[in-house]
């Protein structure tokens, strides 16, 4: 293995970390929106959403941590290969790939929770529309 092999991961990991940061910013925005709509009527919906948001924040933190560690070990791998330490460089690269895979698995789980949160919103919207339709005689 030469120095270019781990270097191939640099753009991919950088873009992945950027995507994770964007997801974190969206979560922060959602939390601010929930705070604004905190009314007695929406209390049960907000409680369900808060639980999912806490899970998503934890998962996003883990996604980012494993992604950063993967990036770090990829850099270490390149440095070791640059110094001519083939076996330690290959091992560091292998661990980097494992950490990247773990980051992606956390991402997949966060996407699942995100989808569930959207379904909660849709169910609430449908319930309100059904109630509004019955009240107006439709």
């Amino acid at each position: 293995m030469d120095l270019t092999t781990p270097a191939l991961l640099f753009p991919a990991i950088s873009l992945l970390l950027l995507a994770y940061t964007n997801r974190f910013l969206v979560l922060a925005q959602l939390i601010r929106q929930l705070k604004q709509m905190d009314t007695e009527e929406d209390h049960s919906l907000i409680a369900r959403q808060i639980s999912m948001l806490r899970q998503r924040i934890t998962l996003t933190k883990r996604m980012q941590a494993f992604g950063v560690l993967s990036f770090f070990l990829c850099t270490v791998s390149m440095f070791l290969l640059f110094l001519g330490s083939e076996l330690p460089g290959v091992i560091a690269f292998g661990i980097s790939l494992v950490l990247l895979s773990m980051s992606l698995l956390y991402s997949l789980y966060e996407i699942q929770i995100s989808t569930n949160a959207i379904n909660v919103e849709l169910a609430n919207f449908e319930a309100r529309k059904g109630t509004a339709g019955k009240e107006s005689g439709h």
Side-chain angles (χ1 to χ4, degrees):
M1 186 169 91
D2 64 2
L3 193 60
T4 59
T5 305
L8 291 173
L9 277 187
F10 265 67
I13 295 174
S14 297
L15 288 173
L16 191 63
L17 291 176
L18 182 61
Y20 291 170
T21 300
N22 286 338
R23 286 161 95 167
F24 180 78
L25 293 173
V26 167
L27 285 172
Q29 183 180 6
L30 287 172
I31 291 168
R32 288 185 190 100
Q33 286 174 354
L34 277 178
K35 183 179 177 188
Q36 289 175 352
M37 67 178 265
D38 189 13
T39 64
E40 197 68 36
E41 178 183 308
D42 297 320
H43 189 68
S44 66
L45 172 66
I46 291 171
R48 291 172 64 192
Q49 291 291 9
I50 287 173
S51 172
M52 285 186 263
L53 285 169
R54 284 190 193 283
Q55 281 184 299
R56 290 177 64 194
I57 288 170
T58 300
L59 290 170
T60 301
K61 182 173 70 173
R62 290 177 184 168
M63 289 163 21
Q64 289 175 325
F66 282 109
V68 168
L69 288 172
S70 174
F71 203 18
F72 176 73
L73 277 177
C74 194
T75 306
V76 167
S77 171
M78 288 175 61
F79 184 68
L80 289 168
L81 291 170
F82 173 75
L83 294 177
S85 300
E86 177 89 20
L87 183 60
V90 170
I91 291 171
F93 183 64
I95 295 170
S96 172
L97 290 176
V98 169
L99 291 172
L100 182 58
S101 297
M102 291 174 68
S103 176
L104 291 171
L105 288 173
Y106 277 119
S107 176
L108 183 63
Y109 186 46
E110 193 273 337
I111 289 169
Q112 183 180 10
I113 292 172
S114 175
T115 304
N116 289 341
I118 291 169
N119 284 330
V120 166
E121 285 290 331
L122 287 174
N124 183 54
F125 180 72
E126 289 171 337
R128 285 185 177 186
K129 284 296 181 183
T131 303
K134 288 177 186 174
E135 290 172 0
S136 62
H138 289 110

